Amino acid sequence: MKLLLDESIPRRLKFDLSAFDVKTVPEIGWAGKRNGDLLQLASGEFNLFITVDKNLQHQQTIENYDIAVVVLDAVSNKYEELTKLIPSLINKIHNLEKGRIHTLSI
């Protein structure tokens, strides 16, 4: 399974997901892309886009993209907070539907 971490996610979080093929937006040269462009590029190439952008559901029609989206909803986007959501993400990762936004909260 191929995962893409948004640039708002600390890069080291990818190591908490080492059982998967994880790339970061900056690592593949897509830093600075707007959400619609980013989702278009990632759609079909990645299975899951992980972000902390809670407004994404109001900005994009996710159903138009061939990718599942997970919004990590924590106190902050600091590594120490987001890593608390990783066990829940790993448990649910294979059941996430493409074309939908899934929110994981602490």
Side-chain angles (χ1 to χ4, degrees):
M1 177 165 284
K2 292 181 72 177
L3 314 179
L4 179 62
L5 297 181
D6 198 2
E7 60 188 308
S8 57
I9 302 272
R11 292 180 188 186
R12 67 180 172 160
L13 198 71
K14 81 180 260 182
F15 300 109
D16 293 282
L17 297 164
S18 62
F20 305 96
D21 181 7
V22 183
K23 302 290 184 203
T24 67
V25 167
E27 166 178 46
I28 58 175
W30 295 348
K33 297 278 184 195
R34 300 188 71 151
N35 283 335
D37 295 335
L38 188 58
L39 288 169
Q40 186 65 41
L41 288 167
S43 185
E45 185 171 338
F46 290 90
N47 304 98
L48 179 62
F49 177 63
I50 303 170
T51 185
V52 293
D53 186 352
K54 296 174 194 148
N55 292 318
L56 186 67
Q57 63 189 356
H58 305 293
Q59 300 166 347
Q60 300 297 319
T61 306
I62 301 304
E63 296 84 17
N64 294 340
Y65 302 100
D66 186 32
I67 191 166
V69 176
V70 167
V71 176
L72 299 178
D73 184 9
V75 175
S76 74
N77 66 340
K78 291 185 179 183
Y79 173 79
E80 295 76 21
E81 291 299 321
L82 295 178
T83 195
K84 296 174 186 176
L85 294 167
I86 297 304
S88 178
L89 175 61
I90 291 171
N91 285 336
K92 297 177 183 186
I93 205 162
H94 292 290
N95 297 317
L96 299 173
E97 294 178 47
K98 289 185 177 183
R100 292 199 51 218
I101 293 181
H102 310 270
T103 301
L104 296 178
S105 302
I106 292 179

